[in-house]
Amino acid sequence: MDFRGVVVDLDGTVYQGNTLIPGVSDAIERLREQGLSVLFLTNNPTQTRETYAERLTTMGVRVGPEELLSAGTVTARYLATNHATDQVFVIGSSGLCEQLKDNNVKLTDEPDAADVVVTSYDYSFGYEDLANGLWALDGAASFVATDPDIVYPNDDGRPMPGSGAITNAVAGVAGREPDVVLGKPAPETIEVVLETLEYQPEDYLVVGDKIDTDIAFGERAGMTTALVRSGLANGTGPETASPPPDHVIDTLADITSIL
């Protein structure tokens, strides 16, 4: 097929945990050799674009920060645009907070001062965070989740709790659902991606391991989609997927078979 670019997920597609999936580095180089642009798009909001670029380079994948977008990127832009003067209370990683600060989002450590509550993945999430989220949401006008991912794959492919799990915990104790959930496949994420891309949506192939985020994102954005079985979609086929992917491959290493 005649594509001009590829949008590639990270967790479960490029790597699992800290392990690069075999053949991925060579596959990405082949894409570049064929003249295709590559954009990496992850729902993991915990690191900056620069940190992701360093991590991938260490793994053997050639990439620059400008080729990376995350749910953290989208969240920072959303808050800077819609809540520029509000006090934002974050349950999330230091990497997410760094991205928000870089976009002049006003952060507060005081739950009672929160105008906006943001929930996201945080490895150290515990009882105190849950209580703070409950108290912050008691007075906050807006509740924002960085992404919907309940789980992500670890090194051996087993699911680990993600941002969505933490969001659900805080929402459950507060008796309140988020006003907006960003990341893939949210329209806010589609908008950011389309502004970044050089070509039209129909010129792109989206590759990822999750139906409800990666494949749904591609479908809503007007792109061709490919599901990889290397991550959380292990064992999933087009006959059981909704929305169904246009293609199914074992890993990203097989991508040239559908180009």
Side-chain angles (χ1 to χ4, degrees):
M1 299 184 70
D2 191 16
F3 298 110
R4 304 179 76 178
V6 182
V7 179
V8 183
D9 175 50
L10 289 180
D11 285 293
T13 302
V14 172
Y15 51 68
Q16 287 183 344
N18 293 311
T19 304
L20 188 71
I21 293 171
V24 163
S25 180
D26 289 341
I28 292 171
E29 284 304 311
R30 289 198 298 272
L31 294 176
R32 298 190 191 281
E33 290 169 359
Q34 293 182 30
L36 277 72
S37 65
V38 180
L39 176 68
F40 296 94
L41 176 64
T42 176
N43 263 2
N44 188 327
T46 60
Q47 302 178 35
T48 66
R49 297 166 84 170
E50 290 76 16
T51 302
Y52 271 121
E54 292 172 5
R55 180 184 183 187
L56 286 166
T57 299
T58 300
M59 288 182 169
V61 178
R62 180 170 60 92
V63 59
E66 71 282 356
E67 297 176 299
L68 285 152
L69 289 176
S70 75
T73 313
V74 177
T75 301
R77 169 171 157 162
Y78 176 85
L79 293 172
T81 301
N82 296 282
H83 298 282
T85 62
D86 290 336
Q87 295 291 311
V88 179
F89 182 81
V90 178
I91 297 174
S93 69
S94 59
L96 173 62
C97 291
E98 181 180 347
Q99 295 173 76
L100 301 186
K101 290 176 182 177
D102 287 344
N103 283 267
N104 299 314
V105 175
K106 301 182 186 334
L107 303 184
T108 179
D109 293 327
E110 298 296 329
D112 293 340
D115 301 306
V116 181
V117 175
V118 175
T119 52
S120 184
Y121 174 80
D122 185 1
Y123 185 75
S124 64
F125 178 77
Y127 189 84
E128 184 177 352
D129 298 299
L130 191 60
N132 284 335
L134 170 63
W135 298 333
L137 283 172
D138 185 53
S142 298
F143 182 9
V144 177
T146 58
D147 63 276
D149 286 21
I150 302 295
V151 295
Y152 67 93
N154 67 2
D155 284 352
D156 62 5
R158 296 180 68 184
M160 298 290 289
S163 296
I166 291 174
T167 294
N168 285 350
V170 175
V173 74
R176 176 178 173 182
E177 292 301 312
D179 299 296
V180 61
V181 179
L182 301 170
K184 295 175 283 189
E188 293 85 358
T189 300
I190 293 173
E191 181 180 356
V192 172
V193 171
L194 294 185
E195 289 178 2
T196 302
L197 298 181
E198 183 178 359
Y199 308 112
Q200 295 301 308
E202 57 268 23
D203 294 322
Y204 285 84
L205 173 69
V206 175
V207 185
D209 70 317
K210 295 188 70 177
I211 296 296
D212 58 345
T213 57
D214 303 311
I215 303 306
F217 163 83
E219 182 187 56
R220 295 178 188 181
M223 303 176 184
T224 303
T225 59
L227 181 74
V228 293
R229 292 192 174 107
S230 53
L232 293 176
N234 186 27
T236 300
E239 68 279 358
T240 61
S242 180
D246 296 303
H247 304 277
V248 179
I249 53 179
D250 287 334
T251 76
L252 185 61
D254 304 313
I255 191 171
T256 53
S257 65
I258 56 177
L259 295 179

